[in-house]
Amino acid sequence: MTDPTPFASMDDVLGTAEGWLTEGRKVALATVVKTWGSSPRPVGSRLVIDGDGAMVGSVSGGCIEGAVIKEAFEIMDGGAPRLMEFGVSDEQAWDVGLACGGNVQVWVERMEA
Amino acid sequence: MRGDIFSKLQTARRGKTPVTLVDGLDGKIQALVFADRIEGDIPEPVVKEARERLRDNKSGVAEIGGGRWFFDCHNPPLRLIIIGAVHISQTLVPMAAIAGYEVIVVDPRASFATAERFPNVTLIDDWPDEAMEALKPDNRTAVVTLTHDPKLDDPALEIALKSDAFYITCLGSRRTHAKRVERLKAMGFDEATISRIYAPAGLDIGAVSPAEIALSVLAELTAVLHAKPIVAAAA
């Protein structure tokens, strides 16, 4: 018997983070901590990003990942962790585009080896 | 996330030990709260909240003692136990695995339960009652019997009905199920208990092929999962 559930591995964001850290990559983790309204991904959804912009997982339906990644680069370079908020009430977030009309808070932090 | 906390979190996840990762949203404090111990220094009310949320499998933010905290619950994956290494199982296994379930297939018949037919899944070739006793279904476990054969399905069902399994279904027509109900009554199960079985299996989406039937079962299982709070297994 090999890995019992290889299909699930695509969802193992933390496992990916662990692997990347072992390879010596810079890694940031974004986690959905709070949602209001019709946000696409539930609390606890995760996105992991490395220094080259590789990413696994998601914190939305693809609407805010770009903005999160931009922030993640700063944070993985030694920036303090940050709580990012996106929603229709927020001008900047509207630009980023949570088209579903929901609000979401995302905690972005550096992963230490 | 601190390296030592992350490493301990991963160890717990691999060992299927329920744990809540607690983040102070000021970025200063991180801790792990297990059922029986704590890694890190956090106030007692925060520990209490972490344990309650772990039991309810409810991640989220709470304000406690003037601070904002994120509670990230890591319970072991939901399990799906399939009795019968049949054609439908061959499609249900990968679908359920993609949906995040830890899938276990039980079938004592050597010609069915082969690694060739079921690559990459935990295959148990014990009799269903023995296998089920060892697997101990809990309230984060679904049980699906697919053999059509009472001598394989019934012993598994007997243990499933005595457990807290959140979803139980059995393949078979209404007539087959009526006979099953009679056998279960003869075994001493009351009607309320027997009515925990979803029959006929799956949502009525007109499923015909094995993959479509698997899809309808997985859809029903998902509906049942989200219609009520699913609580964490006892540690």
Side-chain angles (χ1 to χ4, degrees):
Chain A
M1 193 183 76
T2 49
D3 181 353
T5 51
F7 309 100
S9 61
M10 69 178 81
D11 275 339
D12 188 9
V13 174
L14 292 178
T16 301
E18 195 175 28
W20 286 355
L21 286 171
T22 310
E23 291 168 17
R25 302 197 210 180
K26 286 191 286 191
V27 181
L29 179 72
T31 308
V32 175
V33 300
K34 198 166 181 182
T35 66
W36 300 261
S38 58
S39 81
R41 299 282 285 127
V43 170
S45 300
R46 277 175 269 270
L47 172 73
V48 64
I49 306 118
D50 81 352
D52 294 326
M55 59 172 187
V56 170
S58 67
V59 289
S60 77
C63 322
I64 61 170
E65 271 75 1
V68 169
I69 288 168
K70 216 173 129 203
E71 201 70 24
F73 284 140
E74 243 180 80
I75 289 167
M76 73 176 74
D77 274 328
R82 241 202 91 181
L83 192 62
M84 299 181 77
E85 187 164 345
F86 302 90
V88 286
S89 57
D90 180 333
E91 284 285 314
Q92 184 237 337
W94 188 236
D95 290 345
V96 176
L98 252 192
C100 51
N103 288 51
V104 58
Q105 277 185 351
V106 180
W107 178 246
V108 189
E109 64 189 318
R110 184 167 77 95
M111 297 298 286
E112 293 167 19
Chain B
M1 195 186 302
R2 271 166 42 196
D4 61 325
I5 292 276
F6 184 41
S7 155
K8 282 170 184 160
L9 172 65
Q10 288 295 86
T11 302
R13 291 175 72 236
R14 271 191 285 270
K16 292 177 184 163
T17 307
V19 60
T20 305
L21 170 66
V22 181
D23 267 313
L25 290 182
D26 58 0
K28 292 187 182 127
I29 305 180
Q30 272 181 340
L32 293 173
V33 176
F34 297 87
D36 56 350
R37 66 197 162 88
I38 306 158
E39 299 278 354
D41 189 17
I42 50 173
E44 182 53 36
V46 177
V47 173
K48 188 167 170 270
E49 177 83 11
R51 292 210 169 114
E52 279 172 17
R53 284 177 173 268
L54 186 59
R55 200 188 52 224
D56 298 339
N57 198 35
K58 195 168 169 36
S59 296
V61 173
E63 302 221 1
I64 297 169
R68 296 185 73 207
W69 304 84
F70 174 53
F71 299 89
D72 194 2
C73 304
H74 294 265
N75 275 297
L78 295 159
R79 286 189 302 171
L80 171 61
I81 302 173
I82 302 173
I83 310 298
V86 298
H87 196 176
I88 294 170
S89 318
Q90 284 177 284
T91 55
L92 182 55
V93 167
M95 285 183 197
I98 289 170
Y101 288 82
E102 179 190 353
V103 188
I104 300 129
V105 176
V106 178
D107 200 321
R109 301 169 298 182
S111 56
F112 283 84
T114 66
E116 204 167 40
R117 284 163 53 81
F118 288 91
N120 306 317
V121 66
T122 305
L123 267 181
I124 299 180
D125 59 4
D126 292 332
W127 278 85
D129 50 350
E130 286 171 31
M132 289 285 283
E133 263 161 31
L135 289 167
K136 296 187 179 34
D138 58 21
N139 59 5
R140 290 175 54 81
T141 307
V143 179
V144 175
T145 75
L146 297 176
T147 73
H148 291 107
D149 182 345
K151 74 176 184 297
L152 293 171
D153 283 354
D154 287 6
L157 207 46
E158 191 179 348
I159 292 165
L161 287 174
K162 286 175 182 165
S163 78
D164 292 330
F166 73 89
Y167 175 75
I168 303 169
T169 195
C170 307
L171 199 70
S173 65
R174 284 174 207 282
R175 214 163 59 92
T176 306
H177 188 63
K179 287 187 200 157
R180 180 182 294 127
V181 169
E182 289 313 311
R183 290 195 306 274
L184 290 170
K185 277 184 184 162
M187 285 158 81
F189 287 103
D190 60 29
E191 283 195 26
T193 305
I194 294 170
S195 70
R196 286 177 59 203
I197 301 170
Y198 285 78
L203 294 185
D204 187 4
I205 54 170
V208 176
S209 71
E212 290 170 351
I213 294 167
L215 185 64
S216 82
V217 168
L218 187 57
E220 183 174 61
L221 192 166
T222 307
V224 172
L225 172 69
H226 292 298
K228 58 179 183 181
I230 303 298
V231 298

